[in-house]
Amino acid sequence: MRSARAETFTRVIDAVFACNGGFLAAGDALTAPVGLTAAQWQVLGFLEDGAATAAEVARRRGLRRQSVQETVNRLLRNGMLERLPNPADARAPLLSLTAQAREAMGELGAAQVAWAEELAAEVPEGDLEVTLRTLQRLRGLVAPPRA
């Protein structure tokens, strides 16, 4: 028999999965006008901070490398990413945003802020802060940082 704590934890996991589905659908709606998907937006958003390999994107975003690589391949075909030589590993090129991708991300920025402001207004800020800390703690427990 499960403890009350384990039952609550299971309900948290279910709620996170449901939220993830909702966030992906909302992301698809936000990104459609610039010809992207939520998955593509996630990859491009990570690369806004600088070039990285597909494996680094997957690891830092907590995604499967194979699914990230599929998304990267589509972004390369669509002219949103370019491959750069990787001095640390010639077999794993660095991925960098193209001017086209930077323009799309700029357009998405305003839409994302408006969407976030609208939703955030419905939840007390303290609740959002507790939720963030809790999710960060849970992520650390299920996916400890790699050395």
Side-chain angles (χ1 to χ4, degrees):
M1 176 156 187
R2 269 198 284 209
S3 68
R5 181 175 284 209
E7 182 63 34
T8 300
F9 182 71
T10 300
R11 290 174 46 222
V12 167
I13 293 168
D14 289 343
V16 168
F17 286 154
C19 281
N20 185 56
F23 291 148
L24 289 173
D28 284 340
L30 284 170
T31 59
V34 296
L36 295 172
T37 66
Q40 292 168 335
W41 188 21
Q42 280 186 319
V43 170
L44 294 178
F46 181 86
L47 295 171
E48 277 188 306
D49 293 334
T53 66
E56 288 171 319
V57 173
R59 190 170 36 255
R60 295 277 306 279
R61 289 285 195 205
L63 302 169
R64 288 183 5 254
R65 190 194 175 292
Q66 182 179 0
S67 65
V68 169
Q69 188 61 58
E70 290 170 8
T71 301
V72 162
N73 290 342
R74 281 192 295 279
L75 290 166
L76 287 164
R77 281 192 305 272
N78 295 340
M80 295 287 196
L81 291 179
E82 61 182 344
R83 287 185 180 103
L84 303 174
N86 182 350
D89 184 351
R91 297 169 296 141
L94 294 172
L95 302 165
S96 180
L97 300 183
T98 63
Q100 180 183 348
R102 290 189 188 288
E103 184 177 325
M105 293 301 284
E107 289 181 39
L108 283 171
Q112 189 276 334
V113 167
W115 176 80
E117 290 286 349
E118 182 180 332
L119 266 63
E122 299 296 320
V123 182
E125 188 171 353
D127 288 358
L128 291 172
E129 291 169 358
V130 168
T131 301
L132 176 61
R133 284 193 308 271
T134 302
L135 290 173
Q136 288 170 333
R137 174 76 173 123
L138 290 172
R139 169 119 193 245
L141 291 171
V142 298
R146 296 179 183 179

